[in-house]
Amino acid sequence: MGCSWRWHGRAAAAAACWVWLAAAAVGVEAIGANWGTQASHPLAPDTVVQMLKDNGFDKVKLFDAGEDTMSALRKSGLEVMVGIPNDMLAAMASSMAAANKWVDQNVSNYLNDGVKIRYVAVGNEPFLETYNGSFLQTTFPAIRNIQSALVKAGLGSQVRVTCPLNADVYQSSTSKPSDGDFRTDIHDLMLTIVKFLSDTGGAFTVNIYPFISLYSDSNFPVDYAFFDGAASPIVDGSATYTNMFDANYDTLIWALKKNGFGNLPVIVGEIGWPTDGDMNANIQMAQHFNQGFLTHIATGRGTPMRPGPVDAYLFSLIDEDEKSIQPGNFERHWGIFTYDGLPKYQLNLGQSHGLLKAKNVKYLERKWCVLKPSIGLTDPRLSDSISYACSLADCTSLGYKTSCGGLDTRSNISYAFNSYYQKNDQDDVACGFSNLATITGQDPSTGTCRFGIMIEVDSAFSWKLQHVRSSNLLMLLLVLLQLCLSFS
């Protein structure tokens, strides 16, 4: 956009799942949150579904149609939006048979088995400028073919299509929403998609992230990200804007309106605030933003250009330690729950109780991997060991003004070692590090910095095979090869 601080959506998203937060307040159509699955040790789908029900959540939206996830949703009562990842768009676009097969296997099959599917999300933010046009030719044909497949299956009026888009698909040449229109390079394509969604009863889904605007631009007015009314207002005709969400949302509404689609339903696919990995990503700001957003839309007043209930998904439900950190270290910390299903902070969702933790979560033993007390900080082996641990585990909580930013050097090293050790299921081999580390039963957590203990999952052993024993296996194979050659 033309102003110095741009309105961005969240950059990058891979396969993830979504959940709607039920709100009791009058006028709230639906509030949602992400149930992400990009984790080395994800909570069992049955556990997550029970957690959602315990907390009064009533809808879930997925970025894929994983069998375990879909099976857990059978007869759960949760409404579902399934997703088609970007890497499947080409197949869906080029083959009607592939689209029919996907709908049969991932929509009809589960509908018949008690899963309440209501939307199919075709792709995820496919027009991000960082994708360099990779999906420009396949997104709309995929949307069209999936819609045709739904009609063929007799589901055209029961299940609708949508396409979650980043807020960078529209822009304003000024700070005023009324100057909003679709991005010049994709303007015609956007109108084609919007018309199709309008004709087929679909909805426009957009992801809006004030946090990304603050992260990307140090001059972004912080107060404008929140809902306290403390920011200097933007006056646009008869409308006054004191928060970025309303202004960004109405920029889209204006873009739709001036192109003849002012009544198209809009879903906010992602909105939230991370809790770690950046100086502005912390529990206090996340609680402030998310509660402010929930309270803001609970009034049912909507925005100046679109009065009425706001349909939105809060991002996200659970932290994901396998997400790409290319957008930033905060990317693994969007959850309102930690990786093991513990609430990070409380949100008022219109219920008599706060957020409830996941039930029946099983942990590994209470032990941690730390730097040996006898090892000096000048040991030349430390640098490579730390780099190795952080490249294969998760050190995004280490850094300036992060949750573990106050650790001393020894504790920083121990954090990296323990992250790798836990990710590899507390395997003794994973606490080797050239004999620099040792296992302790004393919790090294301090202040805001949690040294985690991993949870049990059935598939965890794969991490040992892939990361811990791979070098030993390679060495064994080389020895065997050498022996074979010596006898030949």
Side-chain angles (χ1 to χ4, degrees), residues 32 39 68 96 178 190 209 234 238 241 262 328 355 359 381 383 386 411 440 467 480 485:
D68 291 345
M96 194 63 231
S178 60
M190 286 303 304
Y209 280 95
I234 290 178
S238 61
Y241 295 92
L355 297 178
K359 293 180 179 177
R381 298 169 294 172
S383 179
I386 296 168
S411 296
T440 179
H467 297 303
L480 292 174
L485 291 174

Side-chain angles (χ1 to χ4, degrees), residues 49-57 351 353 356-357 359:
V49 169
Q50 187 60 52
M51 178 174 68
L52 300 174
K53 296 175 71 173
D54 288 345
N55 283 283
F57 303 158
Q351 300 189 152
H353 56 74
L356 302 177
K357 68 178 182 180
K359 293 180 179 177

